Amino acid sequence: MLKMDIPQLVTSQLLNLGSRISNKNLLHIVEALERYSAIRWHEQGFSAVKEMIREDHPGIQAVRRAIRNSNPRVRSKLINNFVLGGLLQGYRKRLEFYEEHGVAPPGTLMISPSMRCNLNCYGCCTGTHEKSSGLTRQETEDLISQAAQAGTNVVCFLGGEPLMIPWLLDVIEAYPRTGFQIYTNGLLLDEPKIERLARFGNALVTINFDGSEEENDRRKGQGTFKRALAAMQDLHDAGVIVGFSTMLSRYNFDSVYSDAFIDTMIEHGAVYGWVSIAIPQGKACTMPDLVPTPEQKAQIADKVKQIRREKDILLIDFHNDAYITEGCGAGRIIVHVNSNGDVEPCILFPFALDNIRNKPLSEIMKSDFLKGIRGISTSHPGRGQTCMLVNQPAEVLEVIDRTGARTTSEGTLEMLKDLAAAERAHE
């Protein structure tokens, strides 16, 4: 396989030019890159980008803003690690892995080295995970190396609070060709950490907010909103690409989609936003404490469309954007390794059969459990399939029972049985 690494100076100059050229010339650049599409998903993505350019979509302005404000090192890593390594070259390597092993590796590997956190937010999906266990640095690096060999070049660090791990940034530095995302509450992002992240260039930082300052501080604690916002601004000023994430609940629903909140995120440097929806998570998030009402869920698509039309930010809607990945990506596009080494289909899907301390990741991907989960996804493709744990609970429970998978979060199995019983009652 051809390995191409574009020098930092070249990528920085090209991307800086791209942030200033006309839409017509930008369209020519995208059309040239489109020739390297390897699969239908690439083609769909390029088609969507071209349409956004023709419309002068605010999302294109968000990309221009990201390029214009990022430092040269970040620009270089954006192309080499995420676009080439994560998508184009990465796909070809994953295809080679598939042809050898008979199973495709995930496009993104999620790792939670620890479930410990400096906050205690009600409803957090990791709220009832084991806090005393943790991955070692060696185990984490072995995982990243295994993933890279398979063509998985994008790694997300979650938790818990990943920045509580003293060696986390050392690992990011040790893998300069990997693209990382750090999901953090932002409270531990001090000047030395930000300086290192700016110097490495290979990590995007996603800071979690719960909507407005009032909503955020009610759940996370007084003053957390302003501290996280200051960290976002400092990252932006250092040339690091930064975004926000939020768990949409029935309480912060109006706040998250408000002009005031979105504008605040943009003003402090956010280029993208990940909006996931609160789902039942055993004893961590029970129904109907946080889960949005059916009436609220019905409004999400229109609210997201309006923001995308009016705001220069890339907003990802986990409730309605499943069509982009042709259904739920759990166990297929993503897998999650928790702090005990258990391999779960997704961080929001706390069930596992295998552990990285007993098997290599390539063997775990072949397990009957993950095969069964992928089978549910492929049998429910398209726009209607978001989280299979919520939408196909009976099928998920059948796979768990048949393969002997176990829950990794207290109360989740009981919750799944209740959802499956409710689904069968409505058949």
Side-chain angles (χ1 to χ4, degrees):
M1 183 186 71
L2 174 64
K3 292 184 178 181
M4 179 168 55
D5 196 40
I6 303 175
Q8 176 180 324
L9 179 62
V10 175
T11 53
S12 180
Q13 290 177 338
L14 285 175
L15 288 178
N16 187 49
L17 177 64
S19 71
R20 293 182 282 115
I21 63 175
S22 68
N23 281 351
K24 180 179 178 180
N25 288 333
L26 186 60
L27 190 62
H28 290 324
I29 294 174
V30 172
E31 289 172 341
L33 289 172
E34 190 177 13
R35 299 170 188 169
Y36 297 95
S37 297
I39 54 174
R40 182 164 56 91
W41 188 78
H42 289 168
E43 295 170 355
Q44 291 173 340
F46 277 116
S47 294
V49 171
K50 289 191 296 182
E51 186 63 26
M52 290 172 71
I53 294 172
R54 293 188 188 101
E55 295 176 354
D56 195 25
H57 194 282
I60 295 299
Q61 302 309 316
V63 174
R64 291 182 188 275
R65 178 163 58 87
I67 294 169
R68 184 170 59 249
N69 295 329
S70 57
N71 71 48
R73 185 73 169 170
V74 170
R75 291 174 186 166
S76 175
K77 296 299 182 181
L78 184 64
I79 288 293
N80 287 310
N81 294 24
F82 290 94
V83 177
L84 292 177
L87 291 175
L88 302 179
Q89 292 179 346
Y91 170 77
R92 290 178 173 85
K93 201 167 184 179
R94 292 194 294 275
L95 179 60
E96 291 175 3
F97 182 94
Y98 173 80
E99 291 172 344
E100 179 180 351
H101 296 277
V103 61
T108 299
L109 175 64
M110 296 178 165
I111 305 176
S112 293
S114 172
M115 292 299 181
R116 293 184 297 116
C117 188
N118 52 335
L119 295 176
N120 186 26
C121 307
Y122 175 72
C124 178
C125 65
T126 64
T128 58
H129 278 74
E130 173 60 47
K131 301 294 193 300
S132 61
S133 61
L135 300 178
T136 66
R137 175 176 176 176
Q138 185 62 56
E139 287 172 333
T140 302
E141 292 190 344
D142 285 346
L143 260 177
I144 296 170
S145 295
Q146 289 180 56
Q149 290 172 3
T152 302
N153 205 59
V154 177
V155 174
C156 295
F157 280 129
L158 309 103
E161 171 50 55
L163 291 175
M164 292 184 71
I165 306 296
W167 40 260
L168 189 84
L169 297 190
D170 297 329
V171 170
I172 291 174
E173 183 178 21
Y175 287 85
R177 291 179 178 270
T178 297
F180 292 95
Q181 289 191 64
I182 304 173
Y183 286 79
T184 173
N185 58 44
L187 303 185
L188 301 179
L189 278 163
D190 55 20
E191 185 176 347
K193 289 188 181 74
I194 292 173
E195 187 279 327
R196 292 186 71 188
L197 288 167
R199 177 160 45 87
F200 302 160
N202 61 333
L204 311 181
V205 181
T206 307
I207 300 179
N208 183 262
F209 292 87
D210 275 307
S212 68
E213 182 174 2
E214 179 183 1
E215 291 292 339
N216 184 90
D217 288 5
R218 179 184 295 122
R219 184 163 178 255
K220 292 186 172 181
Q222 193 67 30
T224 54
F225 183 89
K226 288 181 178 177
R227 290 170 61 191
L229 203 62
M232 176 179 279
Q233 184 68 59
D234 289 343
L235 284 162
H236 170 72
D237 292 345
V240 177
I241 294 177
V242 65
F244 77 89
S245 67
T246 189
M247 184 186 78
L248 187 68
S249 75
R250 64 176 56 193
Y251 302 117
N252 68 6
F253 186 89
D254 292 332
S255 170
V256 166
Y257 293 125
S258 68
D259 286 342
F261 176 70
I262 298 297
D263 289 345
T264 297
M265 294 295 100
I266 294 172
E267 289 165 6
H268 289 79
V271 174
Y272 59 89
W274 296 89
V275 182
S276 62
I277 188 169
I279 63 173
Q281 285 286 310
K283 292 186 177 180
C285 178
T286 57
M287 184 82 78
D289 285 310
L290 293 175
V291 180
T293 66
E295 292 76 18
Q296 288 174 325
K297 290 179 181 179
Q299 299 176 48
I300 292 176
D302 287 339
K303 287 184 176 293
V304 170
K305 287 178 182 177
Q306 182 175 351
I307 291 172
R308 287 173 174 169
R309 284 195 303 265
E310 299 176 357
K311 309 291 184 182
D312 64 333
I313 190 167
L314 300 170
L315 196 66
I316 298 93
D317 170 18
F318 276 77
H319 189 60
N320 293 295
D321 284 350
Y323 72 94
I324 297 173
T325 55
E326 300 182 336
C328 179
R332 180 173 59 95
I333 295 174
I334 56 173
V335 294
H336 174 244
V337 180
N338 68 23
S339 60
N340 194 46
D342 299 317
V343 179
E344 305 164 342
C346 171
I347 192 171
L348 299 175
F349 199 135
F351 293 88
L353 180 65
D354 293 302
N355 190 289
I356 61 163
R357 290 165 179 158
N358 302 321
K359 291 182 182 179
L361 195 58
S362 59
E363 290 300 313
I364 293 174
M365 290 300 298
K366 300 177 186 178
S367 74
D368 289 339
F369 172 55
L370 291 181
K371 283 181 182 178
I373 295 304
R374 290 192 293 269
I376 296 173
S377 179
T378 55
S379 64
H380 297 277
R383 189 177 297 271
Q385 168 70 5
T386 51
C387 175
M388 71 176 73
L389 198 67
V390 173
N391 294 317
Q392 282 80 40
E395 293 180 54
V396 171
L397 186 59
E398 187 279 327
V399 171
I400 290 170
D401 289 342
R402 172 168 50 83
T403 61
R406 66 192 184 283
T407 181
T408 58
S409 179
E410 184 182 1
T412 307
L413 181 58
E414 292 76 13
M415 174 273 299
L416 180 62
K417 289 179 178 178
D418 289 343
L419 290 175
E423 180 187 25
R424 294 189 185 103
H426 284 85
E427 288 179 348

